[in-house]
Amino acid sequence: MTRATETHLRDLMTEELLTVRKEMSTTDLARFLEEHEISGAPVVDEDGRPVGVVSSIDLVRLASERVERPANAAPFYRSSLEDENLMELYGRRELPTTDQTWGDISVEDIMTPAVQSVPVDSSVQEVASIMVAGHFHRLLVEEDGELVGIVSSLDLLKVLAESRD
């Protein structure tokens, strides 16, 4: 047996669940992600219930939408808002207008308003399949209806790398 087939989700998930509030500004979000050296976090409402997920990619997307593109830009360089498949996949709304400052834009404005979770007893293969099928980089982990952790694509890559050693 390889390490990947012996590994259980509980062994690779991160139990310390760092969350952000939906009211947090994007400026504070950037600081939070950098300070904790993470690329994303679940978004919670005022009652602590998960309402979405936000990542550094959302910040990059926001910044890229605010950059004026040259008229002669390569055809492959286009707005993610022009990609209907991405809009459908992530259920995103249009980004805030460029006249708003970073401090005026909230996490709720840029987050993916969907929460994807898996049971703590899921196999590594099940988790990997869900991530691939849904294009997810992180999934929340539940046990008896309670959030108990988070698993990321990097966690799965670590298992794969260790199984090759």
Side-chain angles (χ1 to χ4, degrees):
M1 259 190 212
T2 64
R3 169 126 165 78
T5 58
E6 297 170 358
T7 303
H8 301 282
L9 180 55
R10 191 179 297 279
D11 298 329
L12 63 100
M13 71 180 196
T14 301
E15 291 184 44
E16 181 185 0
L17 196 57
L18 299 173
T19 62
V20 296
R21 297 285 303 264
K22 64 182 187 172
E23 302 84 16
M24 179 185 272
S25 73
T26 52
T27 303
D28 290 338
L29 172 64
R31 282 191 202 110
F32 178 86
L33 295 176
E34 181 182 11
E35 178 181 308
H36 293 284
E37 298 179 345
I38 58 175
S39 62
V43 181
V44 296
D45 64 13
E46 48 282 336
D47 296 321
R49 290 184 305 250
V51 295
V53 177
V54 70
S55 72
S56 55
I57 297 299
D58 296 311
L59 289 171
V60 170
R61 182 174 168 261
L62 176 63
S64 72
E65 294 301 323
R66 293 168 158 255
V67 173
E68 196 167 319
R69 290 169 185 76
N72 62 348
F76 62 85
Y77 185 71
R78 61 189 175 116
S79 166
S80 60
L81 289 175
E82 295 169 16
D83 190 327
E84 291 180 27
N85 293 331
L86 284 177
M87 292 295 287
E88 183 179 332
L89 177 65
Y90 294 108
R92 293 228 167 99
R93 303 174 295 274
E94 289 206 15
L95 291 173
T97 60
T98 56
D99 59 341
Q100 290 178 287
T101 66
W102 280 86
D104 294 334
I105 300 170
S106 71
V107 165
E108 184 175 28
D109 293 327
I110 66 167
M111 71 181 194
T112 300
V115 177
Q116 301 297 323
S117 62
V118 292
V120 71
D121 59 357
S122 300
S123 71
V124 172
Q125 290 80 7
E126 289 170 325
V127 171
S129 294
I130 291 168
M131 287 180 151
V132 169
H135 301 274
F136 303 122
H137 291 278
R138 64 195 50 79
L139 295 170
L140 300 179
V141 182
E142 291 185 346
E143 183 173 37
D144 299 325
E146 296 290 320
L147 293 180
V148 295
I150 189 166
V151 62
S152 71
S153 51
L154 184 57
D155 296 324
L156 294 179
L157 287 173
K158 288 176 187 174
V159 171
L160 181 62
E162 290 171 5
S163 70
R164 296 195 62 172
D165 292 341

